[in-house]
Amino acid sequence: MSDIEPGDDPELAERARKLFSGPIAFLKSAPALEHLPAPGVPEIAFAGRSNVGKSSLLNALTNRNGLARTSVTPGRTQELNYFDVGSPLVFRLVDMPGYGFAKAPKDVVKKWRFLVNDYLRGRAVLKRTLVLIDSRHGIKDVDREIFEMLDVAAVSYRLVLTKTDKVKATDLAAVQAATEAEARKHPAAHPQVIATSSEKGMGIAELRTAVLEAVES
């Protein structure tokens, strides 16, 4: 795992900025593993609870309003959504179906677990998973289940706080410290946490750089 931190490498940050301002396009939705695209380029996956603001963050990251659909009903998306970044293609973003939805039928939850678990364990081109945590609520038990899944699959992951504009600075500092303390307990987790706000743009440049750093590591 690289020790380069976003902000430490201006050249990497500039390349990330240019890449995310260039061509990015929706490729396909994969409801099952047999529908995944050929594993020809690195992949960066996004995971998070159903209402964590994942679609908004993906839209902010790619500087496109409608790239990832924001659903009125959390947990509706039960597919892996693929986005191509760069022309020629450099890597793919993978929007994983949200977890922790209370109203979903048990068979849907079971299908989600099989799809995500099989993807995480078997995808050699998956370079890193970004696990989104709502800064208003911090880490929940359902998040820890995902950490465990990633640890067992030996998939490198990094925790990203969302909606930081919704909490006071003192509360955010406490949530960030607690989140980083949790990350240090997990063998596959990156020790540093990135705090973001899709609405205010906070941490977005840092996240872009972190994505490219993971792609190239």
Side-chain angles (χ1 to χ4, degrees):
M1 195 177 290
S2 171
D3 291 326
I4 295 173
E5 276 306 295
D8 291 352
D9 188 341
E11 186 267 337
L12 183 70
E14 178 59 16
R15 282 195 292 116
R17 186 192 67 78
K18 285 183 175 175
L19 193 58
F20 277 101
S21 63
I24 300 175
F26 173 74
L27 173 64
K28 68 184 300 188
S29 293
L33 293 190
E34 58 265 29
H35 299 286
L36 296 182
V41 294
E43 293 173 3
I44 302 291
F46 286 73
R49 292 199 308 273
S50 299
N51 56 353
V52 76
K54 187 153 49 66
S55 296
S56 297
L57 187 67
L58 276 165
N59 289 335
L61 186 74
T62 58
N63 206 22
R64 287 157 175 82
N65 285 332
L67 187 75
R69 290 172 301 172
T70 52
S71 174
V72 178
T73 310
R76 179 169 285 172
T77 304
Q78 293 306 308
E79 300 172 327
L80 298 168
N81 291 311
Y82 272 82
F83 302 92
D84 286 348
V85 180
S87 181
L89 180 62
V90 178
F91 65 93
R92 290 189 170 114
L93 299 174
V94 186
D95 183 8
M96 294 170 66
Y99 57 82
F101 29 85
K103 295 175 183 175
K106 283 183 180 172
D107 60 325
V108 170
V109 177
K110 192 175 179 183
K111 182 188 172 195
W112 177 92
R113 188 166 283 280
F114 278 121
L115 174 64
V116 169
N117 211 8
D118 288 349
Y119 169 73
L120 292 174
R121 284 186 307 170
R123 198 66 170 168
V125 292
L126 177 60
K127 302 288 275 187
R128 181 161 293 164
T129 297
L130 299 170
V131 183
L132 277 45
I133 305 293
D134 190 326
S135 59
R136 298 171 301 177
H137 308 303
I139 294 169
K140 301 288 189 186
D141 286 342
V142 70
D143 297 313
R144 292 186 179 93
E145 287 178 29
I146 299 302
F147 302 165
E148 188 69 27
M149 199 184 275
L150 289 158
D151 288 336
V152 170
V155 172
S156 169
Y157 62 100
R158 187 164 189 169
L159 307 186
V160 177
L161 292 173
T162 63
K163 306 183 183 183
T164 58
D165 57 296
K166 310 290 188 203
V167 297
K168 288 186 278 189
T170 49
D171 293 341
L172 177 58
V175 169
Q176 183 148 358
T179 307
E180 289 182 344
E182 180 80 30
R184 287 193 291 271
K185 298 176 187 174
H186 295 272
H190 194 291
Q192 273 85 34
V193 171
I194 300 176
T196 67
S197 164
S198 303
E199 224 168 89
K200 305 291 186 186
M202 176 184 167
I204 299 301
E206 184 182 359
L207 186 60
R208 287 174 184 147
T209 307
V211 167
L212 186 57
E213 182 267 312
V215 165
E216 296 181 350
S217 63

